[in-house]
Amino acid sequence: MNPSQVLIVDDSKTAQHLLKRMLQKYHLKIDVVSSAEEALAYLSYNHPAVIFLDHQMTGMTGMEALKTIKASPHTALIPVVMYTSQQDDLFVSQAIALGAQDILAKGAMQPSNLERVLQVLNISMQAPATTESGDKDKADTSLVAQRTNTSIIAAVKEQPIQDVDKVRLQIGRLFEIHIADVRSQINNSTQFIIKRLSTNIEKSANKEAVIGGASLSAVKSVVKNIISAERKRIAISSNLLLAAITLGIGFLGYALWQVQAELKEASKNLLAAAEIRKTETPPVPASPLNRLMADANSADNASLLRAIGWVQNADFQFNYGEPPLNDLQLANLNRLVNILDDAGYKGPLVVDINFGNVCLEVGDGNTWRLARNDLPATQCKMLKDLNPKFLVTDYLTVPYQNFEKVALPLKDGRISIRLVSSGLNVPHVDYPIIRATTTAGEWNAAALRNNRISIQFLN
């Protein structure tokens, strides 16, 4: 994958120009195509870091192109950002379900929204850093980005399918080179024989020569006949060799055609198996938390197991309007740090601040508040529609800074905390489908559970 290459797929010249202009400050190579068909042809020989895909296009739509991209093992891992004017929640959920990384709104898109998406993809305005601290920051950002479920793609990727046409073309070119080399050798040999015979004849011309009772002209005639016969023999051998090579290419093409058919059938079976696995329970990924738990079990470390269990069951939720790093959450973090220190844990902890897409209405003083429980969800103003910015620096309260200075494991450097924010991108609880009967209370019941802090181990 080329980390500095971006593909824009849009049939609108205006939209292409606007998005390309916003991306130019990120030190990227920007390629533009005007249809989904052109994009699929482009992806057959390029592997960009991200694809910005329009929804409505002439010919193949963006949704159809997204399905095709995610179904191919060659392109399934490329992040795709749907770039569209469609803002319906059903469309958003369908796009995410098909594998879209994120959704960007046309027309009303702000540079901050684009910057948020690119930060998740580890693309920044600055040139790539080479310092150790830059590598650490890159690892922190990529940790948040590695949330997509790639279990189905991995099943297909285990048996890669070679491009048979490319192999056939390469073999054909090798045969052409070999044939040209054979012809060159034949010509060189013929010229060498003629030159040697001519030299001998010229030497004999200085003598009165009648060899075996034959005149010099008779000798030249014999030599000419020998050369002609030799040329015919070489031509026949060359033609036979070319015929054998052509026949071999034919057999090889037939064999490659059979292999291609078998590979297509195997690919179809793998994709069918992947569809079946969608309904099955996905395998548990080998996350740092799972590895840490396995190490604790093997080492019979009861303190570390207790710390891991406490993290999984602790209440790290916060209400709408409250600071995420409030007194309760600081108390939880302090207790966690001490438990891990007692268990002998050393290393970083990632504290990820997540927010729920709450349903809002205008309250007193023209300020936003949680919508009434009986208000239809279709009449709400969703938090994401307000284009909020989830900056970690906005949540660094004075109590939190004092906590980092006072906690001994943090002060001594045995344990470190890295704050990040996934914003609205990583919900812990699924939202209900919005229907005419769905109320704001039902929606916010899920949204408020997504107002939470998640803890991850990097060891």
Side-chain angles (χ1 to χ4, degrees), residues 70-73 76-77 149-161 266-267 269-278 280 283:
K70 292 303 178 181
S72 171
L77 295 180
N149 184 2
T150 60
S151 60
I152 298 175
I153 297 171
V156 178
K157 192 177 179 182
E158 288 173 357
Q159 298 189 19
I161 300 175
S267 177
N269 294 336
L270 287 173
L271 291 175
E275 291 294 332
I276 295 175
R277 289 192 185 94
K278 287 182 179 179
E280 299 176 353

Side-chain angles (χ1 to χ4, degrees), residues 388-404:
K389 297 180 180 179
F390 301 100
L391 302 177
V392 174
T393 53
D394 294 340
Y395 316 125
L396 296 178
T397 60
V398 173
Y400 174 79
Q401 296 178 19
N402 292 333
F403 157 69
E404 283 194 328

Side-chain angles (χ1 to χ4, degrees), residues 26-27 124-130:
Y26 289 91
H27 305 283
S124 63
M125 295 186 189
Q126 302 298 327
T130 57

Side-chain angles (χ1 to χ4, degrees), residues 7-19 31-39 52-62 65 83-85 106:
L7 175 63
I8 299 175
V9 187
D10 199 318
D11 57 356
S12 170
K13 297 296 184 182
T14 302
Q16 291 177 4
H17 175 73
L18 292 176
L19 182 55
D31 294 327
V32 180
V33 297
S34 299
S35 68
E37 291 82 356
E38 292 180 47
F52 290 90
L53 180 61
D54 185 24
H55 174 220
Q56 293 291 347
M57 291 183 290
T58 304
M60 181 183 289
T61 65
Y83 181 59
T84 177
S85 57
K106 274 190 177 182

Side-chain angles (χ1 to χ4, degrees), residues 187-377:
N187 290 332
N188 292 337
S189 299
T190 303
Q191 292 176 3
F192 175 77
I193 292 172
I194 293 173
K195 185 176 181 181
R196 186 178 61 182
L197 290 174
S198 298
T199 301
N200 293 334
I201 291 171
E202 289 176 359
K203 288 181 179 179
S204 300
N206 295 327
K207 297 179 180 180
E208 247 181 331
V210 176
I211 302 175
S215 65
L216 185 58
S217 60
V219 173
K220 290 183 178 180
S221 178
V222 172
V223 172
K224 183 177 181 181
N225 292 335
I226 293 173
I227 293 174
S228 177
E230 184 68 16
R231 284 180 174 176
K232 289 181 180 179
R233 185 187 67 79
I234 292 174
I236 293 173
S237 300
S238 177
N239 291 333
L240 290 175
L241 178 60
L242 292 176
I245 292 175
T246 303
L247 185 62
I249 292 175
F251 279 118
L252 180 61
Y254 177 73
L256 290 176
W257 177 79
Q258 285 188 323
V259 171
Q260 185 180 23
E262 293 175 359
L263 289 176
K264 286 183 178 179
E265 184 65 24
S267 177
K268 186 185 298 182
N269 294 336
L270 287 173
L271 291 175
E275 291 294 332
I276 295 175
R277 289 192 185 94
K278 287 182 179 179
T279 59
E280 299 176 353
T281 303
V284 178
S287 65
L289 179 59
N290 293 332
R291 292 195 298 269
L292 190 63
M293 186 177 294
D295 294 342
N297 277 318
S298 61
D300 196 20
N301 192 332
S303 298
L304 188 55
L305 286 173
R306 181 165 63 90
I308 296 172
W310 184 84
V311 169
Q312 293 176 324
N313 296 288
D315 181 15
F316 279 100
Q317 293 183 351
F318 53 91
N319 291 325
Y320 172 74
E322 288 185 355
L325 300 175
N326 54 37
D327 292 341
L328 176 61
Q329 303 308 334
L330 290 179
N332 285 336
L333 288 176
N334 185 57
R335 183 178 178 187
L336 172 62
V337 167
N338 289 325
I339 292 175
L340 290 174
D341 185 52
D342 292 340
Y345 175 82
K346 295 181 180 180
L349 295 176
V350 175
V351 177
D352 189 0
I353 304 174
N354 300 271
F355 293 88
N357 185 25
V358 292
C359 176
L360 303 172
E361 66 176 350
V362 177
D364 298 335
N366 291 327
T367 58
W368 294 105
R369 68 181 183 188
L370 286 177
R372 290 162 290 144
N373 290 337
D374 57 348
L375 183 70

Side-chain angles (χ1 to χ4, degrees), residues 60-81:
M60 181 183 289
T61 65
M63 283 296 193
E64 294 172 342
L66 179 61
K67 291 180 183 178
T68 304
I69 291 171
K70 292 303 178 181
S72 171
H74 176 67
T75 57
L77 295 180
I78 302 177
V80 179
V81 178

